[in-house]
Amino acid sequence: MKYSPHPLLTSTVALILLGLGWQGCSAGKPKGQAPVVLEYWEKWTGFEREAMARLVDEFNSSQNRIFVRFLSVSRIDQKMMLATAGGVPPDVVGLWDVNLPSYAENNALLPLDRLAREAGLREKDYLPVFWKLCHYRGHQWALPSTPSVVALHWNKKMFREAGLDPERPPRTLAELESFNEKITRKNSDGSLAQIGHMPQEPGWWMPDFPSWFGGASWDGGPHLLLDSPSNRAFFQWLQSYPARFGGSELFKLRGGFGTFASPDNPFFQGKVAMILQGVWMDNFIRQYAPEGFSYGVAPFPESTPHPEAPLTIAQTDILVIPTGTRHPREAMEFISFVQQQKHMESLCMAQRKLSPLAKVSDDFYRRHPHPYLREFQRLSQSPRAQPTLCLPTMREYSNDLIIYSNLVLLGRMNGEQARREMAARQQKSLTAKLDRWERVSAVRTAVWDQELRP
Amino acid sequence: MTRKEKRSTLQGLLFIAPWMVGFLALNLYPFCASVWFSLCDYSVLSQPVYLGIRNFQNLIHDPVFWKALTNTLLFAAVSIPLSTIVSIGLAVLLNQPAGAQGFFRTLFFLPCLVPAISLAILWQWMLNGQMGLVNMALRPGLDFLNNLFGCTLRAPDWLNDPSWALWGLVLTGLWGTGQAMVIYLAGLQEIPAELYEAATLDGTSAWQRFLHVTLPMLSPVIFFNVLMGLIGALQTFAVPYILTGGGDGPGRSLLFLATYIYQNAFDFWNMGYASALALVLFLMIAILTLTAVHFGEKKVHYEGR
């Protein structure tokens, strides 16, 4: 069954692309004899965009057959969906790993197994967790651009003020909470002045939190594991916060927090002492934290610690080729260029991230400005480095989890009730998506296999 | 039909053709497509699969739909009467012969020129539970009451507390009453002065003149504004979407039908379900508008009739 896009959608998207193309043309024109022009959409802005723009320029000047036109696009996941549905997708897109399942199942991506193999990109060249994040339903859909793992970041000054050893982070969740109690300060009116830790700051990894309680949230198949002991423990843990600190006080404190990428970030401001954050945090600390700000990085504490193999959640920005692209081979050539160790390291260093490759040069460690890069690299190589939760229903799941966890943290809902309600809703949603997949899986698999034939 | 008539008809058709093309391509076709998609499982990227009425059955059993519907209707039920009262009150005040009339009219209309997105971001800070201007204004009064009665009243955390979020949005909505106020002001100026003179000679009070002269004469304008307000309130999207950072608000207290449609269509890739929701919203607006027209017209006083 071949999908033919709606003519109205096609013409609308074509008009939008014409507009984007017009803007893109002003960025620079291909030199030489009619090279193949690739449209590359990327989500990054600011210094992260600049880092990739330099690599694109390097690629463009390294040969004269392909010219990559690089565009920074907001809400890239939605725009790519519409462009692909309209039959006029870009040639390369920089998405997030969590987008993979829904895009792959909906036939929005080209399977890259054969193209990657032909380009000499092999599993052994990558850290296993990042290679795994590029795969879904037995096929490869992406290659990593810049990856990250998460770790506990703590404010040493706040530790010192609370009488804690600033060089000694908590090692278990129980210890985290005991430190939390010591660091938390209240104003005379009972409101919170500062807190040791709050799960919703920044709260970006809520779907992955049950991992630190010893279990997963999805079996990879038809079942969510929200009934598991780890999920029960996670919701109980959330419930303990309003009981100890007051639900409305937690949210009032958070309401006063400034923007993440600003000097008002609560971590720099000394409002929250311990946060879960990714490798990129150092860059924001350099830009916005007050002078002399001192912080440490360590594995985020688990309920049961495994010092020899610490747990971390891995994520990666990815490069994909949408279905219906006109130049898949050329697109792969550009992606392969980015995957070369020299280029990957220059990109990751400029974005202050770690390398997804198994082999890392000494120069990368020496020149990289992140003071804790080796700690992050060690975490990414840990046998217990886990890919972030990537469900086909990820948006619904994250949305629900934010709502239910906030209700629990506010003290408006019992943790167990929230977990049960969320489990029922999300299991139904997952089953519906899997039913949709069952209807098309035979056709999809046949198309993908066709793509993979030499 | 004579040759001249034919030519005239052709010219007429030619003149309305741009509108017709726009209407057919941008209104009628999407509407018909949406009706079809509401009967399908459709992710936008794959061919729609016919499901019959399953989307509508799911909708009935979807608690989030009911929550969004309740929020939408509650918001309309509170915000429309409130903004009508406030804007009529302002219009009556600004219609009084007083100095700097033009200045005050401009002042009250100015907030309407602020784009919805900027308005939402502004109110995000105004309603901040800890440092928002609204709570700063409320605190002295609450402290006074607490001292007087020994109670422990506290300023609400508007956007984080499920019980207060919707009221915060209603407050935000009052910011835009200037638009309706200008229309009421135009309506007030159309009321013949003789009616007031006659009523004054009859010995009526100011309140009686307002009740028996102003309101009946203003009723067509009130009817128009309420109707527009109803349609607008049922389609509320931009402000709560920005206020909640693209989310649903605490405990889904700021989730409206339009937001839920958007989420299902573009975030969850359930375009079929989103189309079913959109059809329900369309029918709801149509029924409520027709009902309002049916019952409202009997109460509206048209001077020319």
Side-chain angles (χ1 to χ4, degrees), chain A residues 3 6 78 106 249 255 395 400 403 412 425 433 436 439 444, chain B residues 29 41 43-44 46 64 128 154 160-161 163 248 252 267-268:
Chain A
Y3 172 59
H6 285 267
Q78 287 184 0
N106 282 288
E249 298 311 330
R395 289 298 289 263
D400 255 19
I403 288 162
R412 291 299 182 95
R425 273 182 52 74
K433 280 276 156 69
R436 181 187 279 178
R439 283 200 303 269
R444 290 274 190 280
Chain B
Y29 169 73
D41 179 15
S43 74
V44 182
S46 311
V64 181
N128 185 294
R154 297 187 73 176
N160 287 317
D161 189 332
S163 324
D248 305 357
R252 293 204 165 92
D267 286 343
F268 308 158

PDB file of all heavy atoms in Angstrom, chain A residues 3 6 78 106 249 255 395 400 403 412 425 433 436 439 444, chain B residues 29 41 43-44 46 64 128 154 160-161 163 248 252 267-268:
ATOM      1  N   TYR A   3       1.433   5.234   0.185  1.00  0.00           N
ATOM      2  CA  TYR A   3       0.747   6.396   0.732  1.00  0.00           C
ATOM      3  C   TYR A   3       0.960   7.593  -0.189  1.00  0.00           C
ATOM      4  O   TYR A   3       2.079   7.956  -0.504  1.00  0.00           O
ATOM      5  CB  TYR A   3       1.292   6.720   2.115  1.00  0.00           C
ATOM      6  CG  TYR A   3       0.766   8.015   2.651  1.00  0.00           C
ATOM      7  CD1 TYR A   3      -0.604   8.197   2.813  1.00  0.00           C
ATOM      8  CD2 TYR A   3       1.622   9.063   2.959  1.00  0.00           C
ATOM      9  CE1 TYR A   3      -1.097   9.391   3.288  1.00  0.00           C
ATOM     10  CE2 TYR A   3       1.128  10.258   3.440  1.00  0.00           C
ATOM     11  CZ  TYR A   3      -0.230  10.400   3.595  1.00  0.00           C
ATOM     12  OH  TYR A   3      -0.725  11.595   4.076  1.00  0.00           O
ATOM     13  N   HIS A   6      -1.914  14.184   0.562  1.00  0.00           N
ATOM     14  CA  HIS A   6      -3.017  15.003   0.088  1.00  0.00           C
ATOM     15  C   HIS A   6      -2.497  16.186  -0.712  1.00  0.00           C
ATOM     16  O   HIS A   6      -1.530  16.825  -0.311  1.00  0.00           O
ATOM     17  CB  HIS A   6      -3.814  15.520   1.293  1.00  0.00           C
ATOM     18  CG  HIS A   6      -4.645  14.439   1.885  1.00  0.00           C
ATOM     19  ND1 HIS A   6      -5.934  14.224   1.520  1.00  0.00           N
ATOM     20  CD2 HIS A   6      -4.324  13.473   2.770  1.00  0.00           C
ATOM     21  CE1 HIS A   6      -6.396  13.173   2.187  1.00  0.00           C
ATOM     22  NE2 HIS A   6      -5.427  12.712   2.950  1.00  0.00           N
ATOM     23  N   GLN A  78       7.437  18.516  14.653  1.00  0.00           N
ATOM     24  CA  GLN A  78       6.137  18.737  14.004  1.00  0.00           C
ATOM     25  C   GLN A  78       6.309  19.145  12.547  1.00  0.00           C
ATOM     26  O   GLN A  78       5.589  18.683  11.662  1.00  0.00           O
ATOM     27  CB  GLN A  78       5.362  19.816  14.734  1.00  0.00           C
ATOM     28  CG  GLN A  78       4.835  19.344  16.055  1.00  0.00           C
ATOM     29  CD  GLN A  78       3.973  20.396  16.745  1.00  0.00           C
ATOM     30  OE1 GLN A  78       3.769  21.472  16.228  1.00  0.00           O
ATOM     31  NE2 GLN A  78       3.495  20.071  17.917  1.00  0.00           N
ATOM     32  N   ASN A 106       5.438   5.141  11.795  1.00  0.00           N
ATOM     33  CA  ASN A 106       4.559   5.850  10.866  1.00  0.00           C
ATOM     34  C   ASN A 106       5.198   6.074   9.504  1.00  0.00           C
ATOM     35  O   ASN A 106       4.719   6.903   8.728  1.00  0.00           O
ATOM     36  CB  ASN A 106       4.127   7.173  11.477  1.00  0.00           C
ATOM     37  CG  ASN A 106       3.038   6.973  12.502  1.00  0.00           C
ATOM     38  OD1 ASN A 106       1.901   6.680  12.145  1.00  0.00           O
ATOM     39  ND2 ASN A 106       3.380   7.083  13.773  1.00  0.00           N
ATOM     40  N   GLU A 249       4.128  24.988  49.098  1.00  0.00           N
ATOM     41  CA  GLU A 249       5.419  25.664  49.309  1.00  0.00           C
ATOM     42  C   GLU A 249       6.423  25.259  48.243  1.00  0.00           C
ATOM     43  O   GLU A 249       7.191  26.091  47.751  1.00  0.00           O
ATOM     44  CB  GLU A 249       5.972  25.330  50.712  1.00  0.00           C
ATOM     45  CG  GLU A 249       5.106  25.780  51.865  1.00  0.00           C
ATOM     46  CD  GLU A 249       4.660  27.239  51.728  1.00  0.00           C
ATOM     47  OE1 GLU A 249       5.397  28.035  51.138  1.00  0.00           O
ATOM     48  OE2 GLU A 249       3.552  27.558  52.201  1.00  0.00           O
ATOM     49  N   GLY A 255       7.936  28.523  41.532  1.00  0.00           N
ATOM     50  CA  GLY A 255       7.372  29.626  40.757  1.00  0.00           C
ATOM     51  C   GLY A 255       8.305  30.823  40.697  1.00  0.00           C
ATOM     52  O   GLY A 255       8.233  31.627  39.774  1.00  0.00           O
ATOM     53  N   ARG A 395       4.929  11.165  23.882  1.00  0.00           N
ATOM     54  CA  ARG A 395       4.371  12.492  24.199  1.00  0.00           C
ATOM     55  C   ARG A 395       3.216  12.372  25.197  1.00  0.00           C
ATOM     56  O   ARG A 395       3.114  13.136  26.143  1.00  0.00           O
ATOM     57  CB  ARG A 395       3.882  13.202  22.929  1.00  0.00           C
ATOM     58  CG  ARG A 395       4.990  13.681  22.010  1.00  0.00           C
ATOM     59  CD  ARG A 395       5.891  14.703  22.676  1.00  0.00           C
ATOM     60  NE  ARG A 395       5.267  15.997  22.893  1.00  0.00           N
ATOM     61  CZ  ARG A 395       5.392  17.040  22.099  1.00  0.00           C
ATOM     62  NH1 ARG A 395       6.105  16.950  21.002  1.00  0.00           N
ATOM     63  NH2 ARG A 395       4.816  18.190  22.381  1.00  0.00           N
ATOM     64  N   ASP A 400       1.192  12.958  30.646  1.00  0.00           N
ATOM     65  CA  ASP A 400       0.454  12.405  31.787  1.00  0.00           C
ATOM     66  C   ASP A 400       1.316  12.371  33.043  1.00  0.00           C
ATOM     67  O   ASP A 400       0.843  12.681  34.140  1.00  0.00           O
ATOM     68  CB  ASP A 400      -0.002  10.970  31.466  1.00  0.00           C
ATOM     69  CG  ASP A 400      -1.493  10.939  31.156  1.00  0.00           C
ATOM     70  OD1 ASP A 400      -2.043  12.004  30.847  1.00  0.00           O
ATOM     71  OD2 ASP A 400      -2.091   9.845  31.220  1.00  0.00           O
ATOM     72  N   ILE A 403       1.547  15.698  34.665  1.00  0.00           N
ATOM     73  CA  ILE A 403       0.296  16.071  35.351  1.00  0.00           C
ATOM     74  C   ILE A 403       0.147  15.297  36.659  1.00  0.00           C
ATOM     75  O   ILE A 403      -0.091  15.879  37.726  1.00  0.00           O
ATOM     76  CB  ILE A 403      -0.902  15.835  34.421  1.00  0.00           C
ATOM     77  CG1 ILE A 403      -0.888  16.900  33.314  1.00  0.00           C
ATOM     78  CG2 ILE A 403      -2.225  15.883  35.178  1.00  0.00           C
ATOM     79  CD1 ILE A 403      -1.702  16.567  32.124  1.00  0.00           C
ATOM     80  N   ARG A 412      -2.175  16.926  46.172  1.00  0.00           N
ATOM     81  CA  ARG A 412      -3.576  16.849  45.787  1.00  0.00           C
ATOM     82  C   ARG A 412      -4.014  15.435  45.416  1.00  0.00           C
ATOM     83  O   ARG A 412      -5.180  15.179  45.206  1.00  0.00           O
ATOM     84  CB  ARG A 412      -3.858  17.765  44.593  1.00  0.00           C
ATOM     85  CG  ARG A 412      -3.773  19.229  44.903  1.00  0.00           C
ATOM     86  CD  ARG A 412      -4.801  19.591  45.945  1.00  0.00           C
ATOM     87  NE  ARG A 412      -4.773  21.011  46.244  1.00  0.00           N
ATOM     88  CZ  ARG A 412      -5.570  21.901  45.677  1.00  0.00           C
ATOM     89  NH1 ARG A 412      -6.447  21.532  44.785  1.00  0.00           N
ATOM     90  NH2 ARG A 412      -5.482  23.165  46.010  1.00  0.00           N
ATOM     91  N   ARG A 425      -4.588   4.707  31.892  1.00  0.00           N
ATOM     92  CA  ARG A 425      -4.678   5.582  30.710  1.00  0.00           C
ATOM     93  C   ARG A 425      -3.587   5.260  29.694  1.00  0.00           C
ATOM     94  O   ARG A 425      -3.833   5.135  28.497  1.00  0.00           O
ATOM     95  CB  ARG A 425      -4.534   7.047  31.141  1.00  0.00           C
ATOM     96  CG  ARG A 425      -5.801   7.714  31.559  1.00  0.00           C
ATOM     97  CD  ARG A 425      -5.537   9.166  31.927  1.00  0.00           C
ATOM     98  NE  ARG A 425      -4.825   9.898  30.893  1.00  0.00           N
ATOM     99  CZ  ARG A 425      -5.376  10.298  29.745  1.00  0.00           C
ATOM    100  NH1 ARG A 425      -6.631  10.053  29.503  1.00  0.00           N
ATOM    101  NH2 ARG A 425      -4.656  10.953  28.857  1.00  0.00           N
ATOM    102  N   LYS A 433      -1.831   2.338  19.998  1.00  0.00           N
ATOM    103  CA  LYS A 433      -0.733   2.594  19.051  1.00  0.00           C
ATOM    104  C   LYS A 433      -0.194   1.271  18.500  1.00  0.00           C
ATOM    105  O   LYS A 433       0.155   1.174  17.320  1.00  0.00           O
ATOM    106  CB  LYS A 433       0.390   3.374  19.747  1.00  0.00           C
ATOM    107  CG  LYS A 433       0.109   4.864  19.871  1.00  0.00           C
ATOM    108  CD  LYS A 433       0.492   5.629  18.618  1.00  0.00           C
ATOM    109  CE  LYS A 433      -0.272   6.932  18.482  1.00  0.00           C
ATOM    110  NZ  LYS A 433       0.046   7.963  19.418  1.00  0.00           N
ATOM    111  N   ARG A 436      -2.468  -0.021  15.897  1.00  0.00           N
ATOM    112  CA  ARG A 436      -2.227   0.694  14.638  1.00  0.00           C
ATOM    113  C   ARG A 436      -1.014   0.076  13.927  1.00  0.00           C
ATOM    114  O   ARG A 436      -1.018  -0.133  12.724  1.00  0.00           O
ATOM    115  CB  ARG A 436      -1.964   2.170  14.935  1.00  0.00           C
ATOM    116  CG  ARG A 436      -1.718   2.999  13.708  1.00  0.00           C
ATOM    117  CD  ARG A 436      -1.286   4.398  14.087  1.00  0.00           C
ATOM    118  NE  ARG A 436      -2.391   5.264  14.446  1.00  0.00           N
ATOM    119  CZ  ARG A 436      -2.234   6.531  14.846  1.00  0.00           C
ATOM    120  NH1 ARG A 436      -1.035   7.053  14.932  1.00  0.00           N
ATOM    121  NH2 ARG A 436      -3.273   7.275  15.142  1.00  0.00           N
ATOM    122  N   ARG A 439      -1.677  -3.281  12.214  1.00  0.00           N
ATOM    123  CA  ARG A 439      -2.387  -3.170  10.937  1.00  0.00           C
ATOM    124  C   ARG A 439      -1.442  -2.925   9.767  1.00  0.00           C
ATOM    125  O   ARG A 439      -1.729  -3.307   8.644  1.00  0.00           O
ATOM    126  CB  ARG A 439      -3.404  -2.017  11.002  1.00  0.00           C
ATOM    127  CG  ARG A 439      -4.669  -2.327  11.765  1.00  0.00           C
ATOM    128  CD  ARG A 439      -5.769  -1.369  11.367  1.00  0.00           C
ATOM    129  NE  ARG A 439      -5.389   0.014  11.587  1.00  0.00           N
ATOM    130  CZ  ARG A 439      -5.629   0.686  12.708  1.00  0.00           C
ATOM    131  NH1 ARG A 439      -6.226   0.082  13.725  1.00  0.00           N
ATOM    132  NH2 ARG A 439      -5.267   1.936  12.843  1.00  0.00           N
ATOM    133  N   ARG A 444       4.857  -2.355   6.155  1.00  0.00           N
ATOM    134  CA  ARG A 444       6.034  -1.557   6.512  1.00  0.00           C
ATOM    135  C   ARG A 444       7.313  -2.404   6.436  1.00  0.00           C
ATOM    136  O   ARG A 444       8.304  -1.993   5.851  1.00  0.00           O
ATOM    137  CB  ARG A 444       5.910  -1.037   7.948  1.00  0.00           C
ATOM    138  CG  ARG A 444       4.889  -0.006   8.170  1.00  0.00           C
ATOM    139  CD  ARG A 444       5.449   1.386   7.869  1.00  0.00           C
ATOM    140  NE  ARG A 444       4.485   2.343   8.329  1.00  0.00           N
ATOM    141  CZ  ARG A 444       3.390   2.688   7.683  1.00  0.00           C
ATOM    142  NH1 ARG A 444       3.148   2.167   6.494  1.00  0.00           N
ATOM    143  NH2 ARG A 444       2.547   3.565   8.187  1.00  0.00           N
TER     144      ARG A 444
ATOM    145  N   TYR B  29     -13.078  22.000   1.920  1.00  0.00           N
ATOM    146  CA  TYR B  29     -12.316  20.753   1.777  1.00  0.00           C
ATOM    147  C   TYR B  29     -11.765  20.270   3.129  1.00  0.00           C
ATOM    148  O   TYR B  29     -11.976  19.105   3.501  1.00  0.00           O
ATOM    149  CB  TYR B  29     -11.189  20.920   0.744  1.00  0.00           C
ATOM    150  CG  TYR B  29     -10.221  19.763   0.740  1.00  0.00           C
ATOM    151  CD1 TYR B  29     -10.602  18.524   0.209  1.00  0.00           C
ATOM    152  CD2 TYR B  29      -8.953  19.876   1.296  1.00  0.00           C
ATOM    153  CE1 TYR B  29      -9.730  17.448   0.236  1.00  0.00           C
ATOM    154  CE2 TYR B  29      -8.079  18.802   1.325  1.00  0.00           C
ATOM    155  CZ  TYR B  29      -8.474  17.596   0.796  1.00  0.00           C
ATOM    156  OH  TYR B  29      -7.616  16.530   0.822  1.00  0.00           O
ATOM    157  N   ASP B  41      -8.735   5.992  11.865  1.00  0.00           N
ATOM    158  CA  ASP B  41      -7.495   6.087  12.618  1.00  0.00           C
ATOM    159  C   ASP B  41      -6.500   6.689  11.638  1.00  0.00           C
ATOM    160  O   ASP B  41      -6.189   6.089  10.609  1.00  0.00           O
ATOM    161  CB  ASP B  41      -7.038   4.698  13.073  1.00  0.00           C
ATOM    162  CG  ASP B  41      -5.729   4.769  13.837  1.00  0.00           C
ATOM    163  OD1 ASP B  41      -5.355   5.877  14.250  1.00  0.00           O
ATOM    164  OD2 ASP B  41      -5.080   3.718  14.009  1.00  0.00           O
ATOM    165  N   SER B  43      -2.808   8.990  11.294  1.00  0.00           N
ATOM    166  CA  SER B  43      -1.657   9.589  11.980  1.00  0.00           C
ATOM    167  C   SER B  43      -1.013  10.692  11.157  1.00  0.00           C
ATOM    168  O   SER B  43       0.059  11.159  11.510  1.00  0.00           O
ATOM    169  CB  SER B  43      -0.624   8.508  12.276  1.00  0.00           C
ATOM    170  OG  SER B  43       0.034   8.159  11.071  1.00  0.00           O
ATOM    171  N   VAL B  44      -1.612  11.070  10.057  1.00  0.00           N
ATOM    172  CA  VAL B  44      -1.112  12.058   9.092  1.00  0.00           C
ATOM    173  C   VAL B  44      -0.080  11.440   8.146  1.00  0.00           C
ATOM    174  O   VAL B  44      -0.098  11.700   6.949  1.00  0.00           O
ATOM    175  CB  VAL B  44      -0.496  13.326   9.754  1.00  0.00           C
ATOM    176  CG1 VAL B  44      -0.037  14.320   8.718  1.00  0.00           C
ATOM    177  CG2 VAL B  44      -1.499  13.987  10.670  1.00  0.00           C
ATOM    178  N   SER B  46       0.355   8.154   7.621  1.00  0.00           N
ATOM    179  CA  SER B  46      -0.116   6.901   7.017  1.00  0.00           C
ATOM    180  C   SER B  46      -1.518   7.115   6.461  1.00  0.00           C
ATOM    181  O   SER B  46      -2.197   8.064   6.848  1.00  0.00           O
ATOM    182  CB  SER B  46      -0.182   5.794   8.060  1.00  0.00           C
ATOM    183  OG  SER B  46       1.001   5.739   8.783  1.00  0.00           O
ATOM    184  N   VAL B  64     -10.397  12.720  29.987  1.00  0.00           N
ATOM    185  CA  VAL B  64      -9.703  13.976  29.668  1.00  0.00           C
ATOM    186  C   VAL B  64     -10.579  14.847  28.758  1.00  0.00           C
ATOM    187  O   VAL B  64     -10.607  16.072  28.895  1.00  0.00           O
ATOM    188  CB  VAL B  64      -8.329  13.696  29.019  1.00  0.00           C
ATOM    189  CG1 VAL B  64      -7.607  15.001  28.708  1.00  0.00           C
ATOM    190  CG2 VAL B  64      -7.480  12.854  29.949  1.00  0.00           C
ATOM    191  N   ASN B 128       2.212  35.036  39.195  1.00  0.00           N
ATOM    192  CA  ASN B 128       3.194  34.222  39.916  1.00  0.00           C
ATOM    193  C   ASN B 128       2.852  34.201  41.404  1.00  0.00           C
ATOM    194  O   ASN B 128       2.606  35.249  42.010  1.00  0.00           O
ATOM    195  CB  ASN B 128       4.591  34.821  39.691  1.00  0.00           C
ATOM    196  CG  ASN B 128       5.685  33.971  40.307  1.00  0.00           C
ATOM    197  OD1 ASN B 128       5.758  33.828  41.519  1.00  0.00           O
ATOM    198  ND2 ASN B 128       6.504  33.389  39.470  1.00  0.00           N
ATOM    199  N   ARG B 154      -4.162  32.982  52.699  1.00  0.00           N
ATOM    200  CA  ARG B 154      -2.922  33.209  51.948  1.00  0.00           C
ATOM    201  C   ARG B 154      -3.259  33.455  50.492  1.00  0.00           C
ATOM    202  O   ARG B 154      -4.228  32.899  49.961  1.00  0.00           O
ATOM    203  CB  ARG B 154      -1.995  32.005  52.082  1.00  0.00           C
ATOM    204  CG  ARG B 154      -1.559  31.774  53.511  1.00  0.00           C
ATOM    205  CD  ARG B 154      -0.524  30.711  53.607  1.00  0.00           C
ATOM    206  NE  ARG B 154       0.763  31.173  53.118  1.00  0.00           N
ATOM    207  CZ  ARG B 154       1.871  30.451  53.154  1.00  0.00           C
ATOM    208  NH1 ARG B 154       1.831  29.235  53.625  1.00  0.00           N
ATOM    209  NH2 ARG B 154       3.003  30.916  52.691  1.00  0.00           N
ATOM    210  N   ASN B 160      -0.380  27.274  39.719  1.00  0.00           N
ATOM    211  CA  ASN B 160       0.061  25.941  40.143  1.00  0.00           C
ATOM    212  C   ASN B 160      -0.988  25.198  40.937  1.00  0.00           C
ATOM    213  O   ASN B 160      -0.837  24.014  41.219  1.00  0.00           O
ATOM    214  CB  ASN B 160       1.338  26.053  40.993  1.00  0.00           C
ATOM    215  CG  ASN B 160       2.533  26.392  40.139  1.00  0.00           C
ATOM    216  OD1 ASN B 160       2.711  25.837  39.053  1.00  0.00           O
ATOM    217  ND2 ASN B 160       3.336  27.318  40.597  1.00  0.00           N
ATOM    218  N   ASP B 161      -2.024  25.911  41.336  1.00  0.00           N
ATOM    219  CA  ASP B 161      -3.055  25.292  42.164  1.00  0.00           C
ATOM    220  C   ASP B 161      -4.270  24.969  41.283  1.00  0.00           C
ATOM    221  O   ASP B 161      -4.866  25.876  40.690  1.00  0.00           O
ATOM    222  CB  ASP B 161      -3.449  26.281  43.274  1.00  0.00           C
ATOM    223  CG  ASP B 161      -4.355  25.639  44.315  1.00  0.00           C
ATOM    224  OD1 ASP B 161      -5.089  24.698  43.950  1.00  0.00           O
ATOM    225  OD2 ASP B 161      -4.335  26.073  45.474  1.00  0.00           O
ATOM    226  N   SER B 163      -7.220  24.466  41.916  1.00  0.00           N
ATOM    227  CA  SER B 163      -8.468  25.146  42.279  1.00  0.00           C
ATOM    228  C   SER B 163      -8.494  26.599  41.818  1.00  0.00           C
ATOM    229  O   SER B 163      -9.555  27.208  41.776  1.00  0.00           O
ATOM    230  CB  SER B 163      -8.668  25.123  43.790  1.00  0.00           C
ATOM    231  OG  SER B 163      -8.225  23.945  44.338  1.00  0.00           O
ATOM    232  N   ASP B 248      -1.143  21.382  30.218  1.00  0.00           N
ATOM    233  CA  ASP B 248      -2.565  21.321  30.529  1.00  0.00           C
ATOM    234  C   ASP B 248      -2.923  22.086  31.792  1.00  0.00           C
ATOM    235  O   ASP B 248      -4.088  22.122  32.174  1.00  0.00           O
ATOM    236  CB  ASP B 248      -2.989  19.859  30.759  1.00  0.00           C
ATOM    237  CG  ASP B 248      -2.619  18.980  29.594  1.00  0.00           C
ATOM    238  OD1 ASP B 248      -2.088  19.515  28.604  1.00  0.00           O
ATOM    239  OD2 ASP B 248      -2.866  17.770  29.661  1.00  0.00           O
ATOM    240  N   ARG B 252      -4.789  19.359  34.942  1.00  0.00           N
ATOM    241  CA  ARG B 252      -5.527  19.625  33.689  1.00  0.00           C
ATOM    242  C   ARG B 252      -6.582  20.728  33.863  1.00  0.00           C
ATOM    243  O   ARG B 252      -7.563  20.770  33.127  1.00  0.00           O
ATOM    244  CB  ARG B 252      -6.214  18.355  33.164  1.00  0.00           C
ATOM    245  CG  ARG B 252      -5.227  17.310  32.706  1.00  0.00           C
ATOM    246  CD  ARG B 252      -5.835  16.358  31.683  1.00  0.00           C
ATOM    247  NE  ARG B 252      -4.802  15.602  31.017  1.00  0.00           N
ATOM    248  CZ  ARG B 252      -4.349  14.420  31.402  1.00  0.00           C
ATOM    249  NH1 ARG B 252      -4.856  13.845  32.463  1.00  0.00           N
ATOM    250  NH2 ARG B 252      -3.396  13.810  30.741  1.00  0.00           N
ATOM    251  N   ASP B 267       0.703  16.578  18.581  1.00  0.00           N
ATOM    252  CA  ASP B 267       1.655  16.025  19.547  1.00  0.00           C
ATOM    253  C   ASP B 267       1.538  14.504  19.611  1.00  0.00           C
ATOM    254  O   ASP B 267       2.532  13.799  19.680  1.00  0.00           O
ATOM    255  CB  ASP B 267       1.396  16.592  20.949  1.00  0.00           C
ATOM    256  CG  ASP B 267       1.850  18.040  21.066  1.00  0.00           C
ATOM    257  OD1 ASP B 267       2.634  18.477  20.195  1.00  0.00           O
ATOM    258  OD2 ASP B 267       1.426  18.728  22.005  1.00  0.00           O
ATOM    259  N   PHE B 268       0.279  14.011  19.623  1.00  0.00           N
ATOM    260  CA  PHE B 268       0.085  12.565  19.801  1.00  0.00           C
ATOM    261  C   PHE B 268      -0.141  11.842  18.473  1.00  0.00           C
ATOM    262  O   PHE B 268      -0.279  10.617  18.456  1.00  0.00           O
ATOM    263  CB  PHE B 268      -1.124  12.296  20.726  1.00  0.00           C
ATOM    264  CG  PHE B 268      -1.099  13.039  22.031  1.00  0.00           C
ATOM    265  CD1 PHE B 268      -2.272  13.273  22.743  1.00  0.00           C
ATOM    266  CD2 PHE B 268       0.083  13.489  22.584  1.00  0.00           C
ATOM    267  CE1 PHE B 268      -2.261  13.952  23.960  1.00  0.00           C
ATOM    268  CE2 PHE B 268       0.110  14.180  23.791  1.00  0.00           C
ATOM    269  CZ  PHE B 268      -1.068  14.416  24.485  1.00  0.00           C
TER     270      PHE B 268
END
